[in-house]
Every structure is written in structure tokens, then in C-alpha cells.
Amino acid sequence: MAKTSLDKSKIKILMLEGVHQSAVDNLRNAGYSNIEHLPTSLDEAALIEKVSDVHFIGIRSRTQLNERVFAAAEKLVAVGCFCIGTNQVDLNSALIRGIPVFNAPYSNTRSVAELVLAEAIMLLRGIPEKNALAHRGGWQKSAKNSHEARSKTLGIVGYGSIGSQLSVLAESLGFDVIFYDVVAKLGMGNARQVANLDELLGRSDVVSLHVPELPSTKWMIGAEQIARMKQGAILINASRGTVVVIEALAEAIQAGKLNGAAVDVFPVEPKGNNDEFQSPLRGLDNVILTPHIGGSTLEAQENIGIEVSEKLITYSDNGTTVTSVNFPEVALPAHPNKHRLLHIHHNVPGVLFEINRVLSENGINIAGQYLQTNEKVGYVVIDVDKAYGPQALDALRQVDHTLKVRVLYSQTGQDA
Ligand SMILES: NC(=O)C1=CN([C@@H]2O[C@H](COP(=O)(O)OP(=O)(O)OC[C@H]3O[C@@H](n4cnc5c(N)ncnc54)[C@H](O)[C@@H]3O)[C@@H](O)[C@H]2O)C=CC1
Ligand SMILES: O=C(O)CCC(=O)C(=O)O
């Protein structure tokens, strides 16, 4: 008998924060028609109300998927973060519920690096305040505090995808690049790693932050660190709002310790475009304020839409978790005319044995099986010769330590 797929029209997908249309188109082309596409994020209460019957959710950096939201999302199968950062998601809460989380680790890297480089040049020339003054009718033709980028030192904190891309672009313009990272890394071109953050702060004319939000990066730049920077230096933050103590930065700008700053990310960001942006940096002409758009270019957003929707489709269709940020990575090639089952369980000894016992007792022969575990969760993809009856499925769900059982395709077309 021919294999039939799940009824994809029953799979409910919620896309928030204006995820690019390319994602919606991609999902529709793959047969997923039940998609709600909203332009903003939702607050916790609204999210909790909405997620109870959602199978897949797509978010960007604003939507907070915490333990309470996951507890309410009883049918949730997977999360797509249409961005790089995944700090807005409680990855452990997702993991222990058998929910893989995917992101787009590279698609907006270039966009961020280009913006930061442009800001560095504008700030070195004092353009933001000259521009603001001109808009008010002023005229400040002066070379005071105005510098070429050539031979200035750019200090990059966090030398990952964005930091290293910035390094290459900046060096091509004549910057001397140094970087600080917790991992030992080979610098691109002539860039040199320094031993610690203090050394980087003390040597750099421009400091740019490119670390993820982690306990170790929270408030890593405060009054003490700014005091260690050169007089008249520039600070750029396009990483996460919790990396810089924003009040300390505002004070340093007002006191003339720093000549300028560019900030794209804030400890508290408006939920949507109609909400007021509040910050102690407002009104400071030598600070470039941007609304978390480091990665918001049409090129990046379109690519991210395709990349992350592709990962959701592949997981939904085949159970493939490769590149998930929180889940054991499994990819089992499709076996023609077989039936695929996904079993997600706490990683304790003996679960696979129990699963295979149930299959054997129900006369089900295994055609292919792949188990991968991480510290907490085991994920096994199983292809079998014949469809699972409800009895076998129930027995699999009863196996001790089971988190989730999903049938991807079978002759009877059971639901996810
Ligand atoms: N403004 C925006 O629109 C965007 C912001 N981002 C932010 O930029 C961050 C960085 O992105 P990628 O470069 O792709 O990440 P990545 O993971 O490739 O690189 C991060 C680097 O930071 C280093 N690091 C971690 N903890 C550190 C610490 N305590 N001190 C020094 N270095 C540390 C890591 O070893 C790694 O080399 C993302 O996590 C995200 O939060 C990313 C994209 C767009
Ligand atoms: O585009 C967004 O909403 C977030 C971009 C970002 O910060 C990221 O990719 O981590």
C-alpha cells in the first residue's frame, strides 16, 4: 500500500514579528497552509492564549518563549528563530518537552558587519552630531574630533561569525584590528587576539561588541570598563542590550569620556513599531540609535526566511534535527514505502531497549533506526515495515521516560 503523509493542513503554524514572506511562501509550497502571520511579537498573556493549539512557531529576537509559554504550548512540535540569537528562548524548557529549536546562524552576519563599519566611520568623523545640528539650522564646519579610519585601532569583543566578518571589512579600510574572545582564535588577515578585555579596552579607538547574551556577557561593559577605554573612544553595541549598562554609557557620553556611540540593541525594546522607545540615550546627538535592525536588510531577511522555514519543513517531514541549537542531531535518509516514527525521551539507560521490545511484541520489523542523545534527551528515528496500530502507539507512549512520540507518515495517516 502506498505511503501517505500527515494531513499538513491540520498543522498550525504561527509566525510572529514580521518574519519574511519567503518563509510563508516556502511553507505553503511544501503543503503547509494553516499559517497565521503577524507583524509584531505578543506579550506573555497573549502568547499563552494563542500557543495552545500551535504546532510550529516562528519568532525573531523580541518574542520571549519562557517556561510558562512552553507549558501552555501543549501541541508545539518545533520552534524557528528567524535570527541568530536564541537567548529569547528557554532552550532547556523546549528540550525537556521534546521540542527542537532552530535558527539561522549566518544569514544576517554580513548585514550587521556592514552597519557597524559604517557607524564606526560616521562616528570617527563626528557626523551624527553635525547632521543633527544641521537639521536644526546649525553649521559646524570643523575638523575637531574628526578622524580617518586609517591606522585607528578597532577592538572587537567576540570574534565569531560577525566579529570576524567585521574584522576583514575593517582591515581592508585600514583599521588595525585587535580582538578579545574567550576561545583562542586565529585572527583573519593581520588581526591579533589580545589576552583580556581590559587590554582591548585600553588600546582601542573603536570598541565593537559581538558576543551572545550569556551569563558571562551580561553587563560586561559598565562604568568600570568604560573608564578603562581611551579618552574620546567610540563604543558600538549591535549584540544584545544586556551586554552594556546603558545608564553608564549615557553618563560617559554626557561627561565627554566617549566621543560617540552606536547602539542597536537595548535592555528593553519596544514590542512593535507603534510603541514608544525609551532610553537614557535619547537626545544625545553623538549617539546613533537604531531599532534593532543590524540584521534587517531585505537580503538577510529573505535568506533567513528560507533557511529557517526549510529547517522546520525538514523536521516536520522527515524528523531531521541537524543544526538544531538544543537537540540531539539526527538525520535518517527516507526509506521508500516505510513508516517513520519519532520517539523523544529522557536520556536514561534502557529506553531504546523498551522501544524495541514494544515494536517486537507488536510484530513490527525495524527497517532503519538512528538514536542520538545529549545530556538530557534521547531522540530516536525509527523506520518500520508496516503501519503502527493504535495499540502499538499507545504502548510506545507508555514506555517509561517518554517525552513525545510522533508518527510522521503511515498508511493510516495518524496525527502528529
Ligand atoms: N543587532 C542585530 O540585529 C543582530 C545581533 N546579533 C547578536 O550578535 C551576537 C553574535 O553573533 P555571531 O557573531 O553570529 O555569534 P558567534 O556565536 O558566531 O560568535 C560569538 C563569539 O563570542 C565569543 N564569546 C562568548 N562569550 C564571550 C565572552 N564572555 N567574552 C568574549 N567573547 C565571548 C564566542 O566565543 C564567539 O566567538 C548574536 O549572539 C546576537 O546576539 C546577531 C545578529 C543580528
Ligand atoms: O532580526 C531580528 O529580529 C533579530 C536579529 C538578531 O538580533 C539576531 O539575529 O540575533
Side-chain angles (χ1 to χ4, degrees), residues 73-96:
E74 285 172 9
K75 295 192 175 168
L76 197 61
V77 171
V79 172
C81 295
F82 288 75
C83 53
I84 292 180
T86 52
N87 53 287
Q88 69 283 34
V89 180
D90 185 335
L91 296 176
N92 187 53
S93 287
L95 175 67
I96 59 169

Side-chain angles (χ1 to χ4, degrees), residues 387-399:
Y388 309 84
Q391 197 187 329
L393 273 177
D394 275 353
L396 284 168
R397 289 195 168 103
Q398 298 308 318
V399 168

Side-chain angles (χ1 to χ4, degrees), residues 17 60-62 82-85 108 239-240 292 295-296 301:
E17 299 187 66
R60 292 172 61 181
S61 55
R62 183 69 186 81
F82 288 75
C83 53
I84 292 180
N108 64 20
S239 60
R240 279 294 176 263
H292 201 150
S296 293
Q301 292 306 311

Side-chain angles (χ1 to χ4, degrees), residues 60-61 83-87 104-106 108-109 111-112 115-116 156-164 180-185 197 209-218 220 237-241 243 264-265 269 290-296 301 304:
R60 292 172 61 181
S61 55
C83 53
I84 292 180
T86 52
N87 53 287
Y106 310 113
N108 64 20
T109 306
S111 302
V112 179
L115 177 69
V116 167
I156 298 173
V157 181
Y159 203 70
S161 304
I162 297 174
S164 55
Y180 166 65
D181 199 293
V182 282
V183 175
K185 300 208 166 184
L197 181 60
L209 308 171
H210 299 288
V211 288
E213 181 178 289
L214 296 170
S216 66
T217 61
K218 201 161 186 187
M220 91 190 279
N237 183 18
S239 60
R240 279 294 176 263
V243 176
D264 186 47
V265 287
E269 296 179 2
T290 49
H292 201 150
I293 43 73
S296 293
Q301 292 306 311
I304 289 173

Side-chain angles (χ1 to χ4, degrees), residues 119-374:
E119 289 174 335
I121 294 171
M122 295 299 242
L123 288 162
L124 280 168
R125 298 292 293 270
I127 300 299
E129 58 267 44
K130 291 184 176 78
N131 173 58
L133 191 69
H135 277 288
R136 297 194 291 266
W139 188 253
Q140 194 191 347
K141 183 172 166 59
S142 161
K144 192 177 169 218
N145 288 336
S146 185
H147 301 280
E148 290 184 344
R150 185 166 47 164
S151 299
K152 298 300 168 301
T153 299
L154 170 66
I156 298 173
V157 181
Y159 203 70
S161 304
I162 297 174
S164 55
Q165 175 97 223
L166 171 64
S167 168
V168 173
L169 296 178
E171 205 172 83
S172 73
L173 272 170
F175 275 104
D176 291 333
V177 179
I178 57 174
F179 64 91
Y180 166 65
D181 199 293
V182 282
V183 175
K185 300 208 166 184
L186 181 66
M188 311 293 278
N190 295 319
R192 293 281 173 268
Q193 185 158 14
V194 297
N196 53 55
L197 181 60
D198 285 353
E199 183 183 344
L200 180 133
L201 295 172
R203 284 176 54 187
S204 302
D205 301 295
V206 179
V207 172
S208 194
L209 308 171
H210 299 288
V211 288
E213 181 178 289
L214 296 170
S216 66
T217 61
K218 201 161 186 187
W219 315 131
M220 91 190 279
I221 305 293
E224 209 179 300
Q225 288 69 33
I226 293 173
R228 294 204 173 100
M229 290 173 69
K230 282 184 176 177
Q231 172 59 39
I234 283 158
L235 180 66
I236 300 178
N237 183 18
S239 60
R240 279 294 176 263
T242 51
V243 176
V244 174
V245 180
I246 206 96
E247 295 78 13
L249 174 59
E251 276 168 32
I253 294 282
Q254 278 158 336
K257 163 73 185 177
L258 300 182
N259 268 358
V263 185
D264 186 47
V265 287
F266 303 87
V268 179
E269 296 179 2
K271 219 172 45 248
N273 284 350
N274 296 325
D275 297 337
E276 189 182 353
F277 164 65
Q278 292 176 324
S279 171
L281 297 171
R282 261 173 53 174
L284 302 175
D285 284 353
N286 52 348
V287 179
I288 301 176
L289 295 173
T290 49
H292 201 150
I293 43 73
S296 293
T297 59
L298 292 177
E299 292 84 354
Q301 292 306 311
E302 184 176 2
N303 288 337
I304 289 173
I306 294 166
E307 183 180 344
V308 180
S309 61
E310 206 59 57
K311 291 179 181 181
L312 295 178
I313 291 164
T314 311
Y315 178 60
S316 182
D317 288 354
N318 297 327
T320 298
T321 50
V322 171
T323 77
S324 166
V325 297
N326 68 332
F327 221 69
E329 296 192 44
V330 174
L332 190 68
H335 289 101
N337 299 318
K338 304 294 179 206
H339 306 270
R340 180 159 287 189
L341 175 98
L342 314 181
H343 193 281
I344 304 166
H345 48 269
H346 290 291
N347 181 14
V348 292
V351 179
L352 189 59
F353 175 82
E354 275 304 304
I355 291 169
N356 289 341
R357 186 186 59 74
V358 168
L359 294 176
S360 156
E361 279 176 2
N362 284 274
I364 295 171
N365 191 40
I366 296 172
Q369 188 175 53
Y370 194 92
L371 168 74
Q372 194 64 258
T373 61
N374 68 15

